[in-house]
Amino acid sequence: MFMLRLAKLRHALLRVTSAVSLFFVSTLAFAEYGFNLQPPVTPIAREILNLHNAIMIVCAVIFVIVFGAMFYAVFAHRKSRGHKASDFDESTKVEIVWTVVPFLILVGMAIPSTATLLKMDDVTESDLTIKITGYQWKWHYEYMDKGVSFFSVLATPRDEIGRPMFSSTGFKAGDAKNANYLLQVDKPLVLPVDQKIRFLVTTNDVLHAWWVPQIGIKKDGIPGFINQMWARIEQPGTYRGQCAELCGKDHGFMPIVLDAVSEQDFNAWLEQEKAMMAAAAAGADREWAKAELLEKGKETYDKVCASCHQPNGQGIAGVFPAIAGSKVATGPLDEHLHLVMAGKPGTAMQAFGPQLDDVALAAVITYQRNAFGNNTGDLVQPSRIKALRK
Amino acid sequence: MSSHGSYYLPDPSPYPVITSAGLFSLALGFVLWINEVALGSWLMLLGAAIIIVMMFRWFGTVVSESEAGTYDKQVDFSFRWSMAWFIFSEIMFFGAFFGALFYIRMFAVPWLGDTELLWPGFEADWPTAGPEGPIALQPHEVPGPGQFTPMAAWGIPALNTLILLSSGVTITFAHWGLLKDNRGQLITFQFLTIVLGILFLVLQVEEYVHAYTELDLTLKAGVYGATFFMLTGFHGLHVTMGTIMLIVILVRCMKGHFTPQRHFGFEAVAWYWHFVDVVWLLLFVFVYWFL
Amino acid sequence: MATAATAHHDEHPYGIMRWLCTTNHKDIGTLYLWFAFIMFFVGGAMAMVIRAELFQPGLQVVDPHFFNQMTTLHALVMIFGAVMPAFVGLANWQIPMMIGAPDMALPRLNNWSFWLLPFAATLLLGGLFAPGGGPAAGWTIYPPLSVQGGMGTDFTILAIHTLGISSVLGALNIIATILNMRAPGLTLMKMPLFVWTWLITAYLLLAVMPVLAGVVTMLLTDRHFGTHFFDPAGGGDPVLFQHVFWFFGHPEVYILILPAFGVISQILPTFSRKPLFGYDSMVYATGSIAFLSFVVWAHHMFTVGLPTAGELFFMYMTMLIAVPTGVKVFNWVSTMWRGSMTFETPMLFAIGFVFLFTIGGLSGLMLAIVPADFQYHDTYFVVAHFHYVLFSGSIMAIMGAVYYWLPKWTGNMYNEAQGKWHFWLTAIFFNITFFPQHFLGLAGMPRRIPDYALQFTEFNVWSSIGAFGLGLTQLLFLYIVVRTIRGGKKATDRVWEGAHGLEWTLPSPPPYHTFATPPKVD
Ligand code: HEA
Ligand code: HEA
Ligand code: CUA
Ligand SMILES: [Cu+2]
């Protein structure tokens, strides 16, 4: 009986708040200044927006009442207006009232919050599972049981960001910035609409958090553990988000882009991806020329390694060692191979063996051994990496 | 000495600021030392030396003030309140490590065991050194490479429990001796307490040597090793401090510093010793016994 | 009734030795307050670096690694260097005078608590000059990121240990003083509220500073001695750090606010010329807040993947804190109700506090709602929340306290017009700085980033302009304080018409030693 009434109350509350929130969404979200949460595209995100608007309004009302009273006193009960002080200093009755009333308001807030939370935490009966792995500073997406996986990194060019005054490289103003500045990636996560998608979140190094505001979910990735969340996207479109847990130097440069497409488009895309992955695997078996390796190596280096070791190979003193003149990159090849493939535990230097394919690894190591004034002349063939993996 | 009413207010003193400088040198040296920077260990030595000298001077001053009768009942109460609550803060310090142990055992390890996708085949049994650490030896297994043996409860640890418990009794006898003004009883039992404290420490060292040389149980042996050594290690450190304090008090007893009415120094150390004792009981139960 | 000991000839040293060796609570209070003031400027200067970089999209001023060091150190310096020492300084000056004690209970220990601080600050800031720079993992130093950093993180850890020793000793001293040194007749339930809030704060300090010391010790051994507390490969868990850290961290935020509540509860009755409304319930509310603060810590961790039951428990408990805090706010408003108010600078700061702190409190309540927090967490909405409670809460209360008691301490009145200017500029610039951050957070701007997407530009410009104004305004504060110390209109003993309490029975400035024989309170 009690529960029934609560449910009714909740519905009424929700109806009022969704009306109010509709107003907010329609008038504010598209203004130049974003004043409120981004427009939701999943049922959960919508519930959160309603909840948010409801509690915000309750808080605002409390605020206005309390400070209405206070400012009335400030204006009316001032000495300069000749107001004489009374000397009352307690009243059990009002004390009880302003303990109990806020408590009841809080209960009213807790009920819809609990309901939404229970829905969010129910990850059963999903149609598709995506495993998300955070790396410094990129995302890896794996479509479970679909044989497709890839990395996704920031696509905004360095020149657009610019170089700060107090840095080793000296000031350089950033170029004109495009509309999706810092929110664009080389390869977006593609997802079908109207399916319950389960996300498994983890990381390979430090903490990261995967967050796309419009689909209303945010979860930390914890190395060694897996967190779960889910979303059912209702509208096709491109949705952008960012890493939301401090993960080191390039935490601000780790965006998420998600393309929600129809189910047919999604399936077509999957097939295309599979074909591309097969083609890349085939490349490992042939002999590569030096120029070809260096070109591919530079590409990989700039995309994967340069965020730490810097585009010019000079690193950052005390934090990331230089590749130029590095003992490892100019010393015995085996050590270099081992370091890059296995990483160095306890430092930011990750194991790239599992991350990069044979060609990319061979190319980037070749590149490091022949660029920035490192003139070892060594060539590493993809086949060597392939052999090493066994 | 100046007089501001009955409550004793010490004159300006250089000890605190010099002690702070010593602590700074110790901390700075320590940071340099763990980062393998030259001079680190020298700075640490210097810092430690300053602190030790200052402690001698500072406590020496306190003792002579106390002997000169400058502390009235109210000052005595200030000491009591602060010692009692200091011990409370120490309990909270151990609480952090116990909390870590409970969290690891009750949550982290079982969750790792459930994370089949990342740690295939990992069995979440305590004790464990984690999915990539050495494997805990089961009873009656023959040790092989990549294995460690958990510490057994019913050897040295049980003996040490007995020792510490008895030391709690002996220090109480010493206290009774003090209260009855029976100096013989006081000094004998205080001495016995110290012997037990030292015996405990010797056995603890013995246990560590055993762990490192024969059991492959080290600080690096995953969370089991980490929690084991950090908890028992900090406890051992406190026993060491406690024993030193007991010795100082013994010397003061022999000098006849305390009276049946006034002996806060003795009581403070006794409280501390009981606290160390209780922590050990918890350790014995949760670190050694319930595996 | 004031019993300033006049006859005795203290041979206390002069010059630098006076300050190094002092055992006098007033001297030590002064040292604490100046230390806090300097640290406020250091931390503020770091905030200026942050705001300068965020003035425009793109990287203009510092590189991201240095930006992270600024964020980290800004917070550590403000919390451990500015707010906490400032409150201990106020406690040192005021508690003995308010309870009619000759000094703090343990004067030498008192000196030690202070003199640990400059050394700790040196360690903390010294990290900046180490190879690899200072700590860059945020003030919460979460592993595994904090395991990666260079030597700066070790400096921070050792600095935290030192600060912890200082806080624990300071807390012991305050507890012993309050419990043991009250003038005869001053029962617990007659103590001024500032004393009460500090008593409770001292217990919070004792309970949580050792826990912080413990958890950073585990971090240190993970970094250098091969333990695996926070490394899943060895069976540990990075989230363990967060649990233990926030077990410290949440009570810590009440350590930063309860003495402020105390200050406000002194100032409002004075300028309303009316006794504090609901004294008893104020005391119980403070106690309840302190108690609840131990069971809400995981509200900082809603996104780490806690079990549902855990999220619900921590949500409910966190929401409950609004009840006792609400009681305090209502009591303050009722204190002003039908008073006879005047609006000298301390009163302005107190009213500003009640008003702005409540905004921060209400946004805190929103953060407690788990599903909504998934959207707020680690965005500028959180940054806005905690600057409302920390700056317009703690810092503005401290400023109010300084204006309120400075005439007592120095014997001189500050310049009222300048004080008012300081208040209004601070309040206005503060809101320009931090109000837009609510919108930034809601619109999706994460915190701890040196550069941002274009749709966040306008509000960041506002925020940066506000911040520069806020910073410059504080130079005025410095000027006013220095001017007042050096001279000005003489203050009377009571200073404020409506002031009550033992400290106002003393001359202004009070003699070096006061209450050598305890006053009688009835
Ligand atoms: C002085 C410091 C201070 C204070 C007092 C508070 C007070 C509160 N805080 Fe805040 N908080 C911080 C400092 C502080 N906080 C900091 C520094 C962080 C960020 C740390 C970091 O990550 O770096 C943080 C973060 C933080 C979070 C985590 C956000 C996130 O990271 O996702 C949460 C979540 O629950 C929270 C909640 C609260 C609540 C419920 C209160 C309550 O105590 C507020 C209670 C007050 C009121 C509610 C207003 C007055 C009441 C009334 C007028 C009565 C009527 C009201 C109702 C019935 C609604 N805080
Ligand atoms: C008591 C605590 C306290 C105080 C007082 C402040 C004060 C200020 N904080 Fe604070 N801040 C924190 C505690 C505090 N902060 C915490 C805990 C964090 C989280 C850190 C983390 O994420 O790890 C944080 C993070 C934080 C951020 C987010 C950084 C990020 O996420 O990357 C920002 C950004 O705007 C900011 C700004 C400011 C500003 C502008 C002030 C201003 O109020 C400062 C005003 C004072 C001065 C400026 C000093 C006085 C004047 C001078 C020095 C003269 C020179 C002046 C000029 C040149 C103009 N702070
Ligand atoms: Cu990844 Cu922040
Ligand atoms: Cu909190």
Side-chain angles (χ1 to χ4, degrees), chain B residues 170 174 182-194 250:
Chain B
T170 52
N182 181 343
R183 278 174 44 84
Q185 182 180 343
L186 166 64
I187 290 172
T188 319
F189 279 99
Q190 182 72 3
F191 182 75
L192 260 178
T193 313
I194 293 169
L250 178 63

Side-chain angles (χ1 to χ4, degrees), chain B residues 26-257:
Chain B
L26 184 65
L28 180 66
F30 181 70
V31 172
L32 297 181
W33 176 65
I34 55 181
N35 285 285
E36 286 150 18
V37 180
L39 278 184
S41 39
W42 292 106
L43 273 175
M44 278 175 76
L45 271 179
L46 175 70
I50 294 176
I51 293 172
I52 290 169
V53 172
M54 277 305 122
M55 286 294 144
F56 263 100
R57 303 281 296 268
W58 192 340
F59 281 119
T61 312
V62 173
V63 170
S64 53
E65 283 169 357
S66 170
E67 287 311 297
T70 41
Y71 296 162
D72 64 2
K73 195 101 194 119
Q74 203 185 4
V75 178
D76 191 61
F77 261 96
S78 290
F79 288 152
R80 279 166 196 276
W81 281 118
S82 39
M83 187 65 195
W85 290 108
F86 172 70
I87 290 176
F88 169 73
S89 77
E90 288 266 46
I91 293 173
M92 293 308 293
F93 180 76
F94 276 98
F97 289 91
F98 274 109
L101 176 70
F102 295 148
Y103 178 84
I104 298 267
R105 287 183 63 167
M106 293 193 314
F107 299 109
V109 168
W111 285 340
L112 284 171
D114 288 342
T115 313
E116 194 59 22
L117 202 61
L118 298 179
W119 310 110
F122 172 62
E123 299 280 346
D125 300 323
W126 189 260
T128 178
E132 289 182 1
I135 296 165
L137 204 65
Q138 298 304 312
H140 314 301
E141 267 183 346
V142 191
Q147 287 196 301
F148 74 92
T149 315
M151 188 60 70
W154 298 112
I156 293 178
L159 190 57
N160 263 347
T161 310
L162 219 71
I163 291 173
L164 271 195
L165 284 180
S166 333
S167 76
V169 175
T170 52
I171 201 169
T172 307
F173 279 134
H175 193 196
W176 286 345
L178 179 50
L179 288 178
K180 286 182 297 190
D181 215 2
N182 181 343
R183 278 174 44 84
Q185 182 180 343
L186 166 64
I187 290 172
T188 319
F189 279 99
Q190 182 72 3
F191 182 75
L192 260 178
T193 313
I194 293 169
V195 171
L196 289 171
I198 293 175
L199 193 61
F200 174 91
L201 287 170
V202 170
L203 287 175
Q204 192 74 4
V205 169
E206 166 75 20
E207 180 187 287
Y208 278 13
V209 171
H210 176 59
Y212 264 77
T213 54
E214 289 158 51
L215 304 182
D216 286 325
L217 173 59
T218 69
L219 189 60
K220 298 180 182 176
V223 274
Y224 176 71
T227 49
F228 175 82
F229 281 106
M230 292 291 273
L231 273 162
T232 56
F234 271 117
H235 177 262
L237 209 68
H238 281 75
V239 177
T240 312
M241 305 272 286
T243 309
I244 295 172
M245 282 152 59
L246 286 173
I247 293 171
V248 172
I249 292 298
L250 178 63
V251 172
R252 291 188 63 190
C253 290
M254 299 200 305
K255 284 194 182 165
H257 276 182

Side-chain angles (χ1 to χ4, degrees), chain A residues 127-142:
Chain A
D127 306 310
L128 173 69
T129 301
I130 309 282
K131 179 171 168 232
I132 303 173
T133 310
Y135 289 80
Q136 280 173 317
W137 291 281
K138 53 189 175 273
W139 295 101
H140 181 261
Y141 300 112
E142 181 180 346

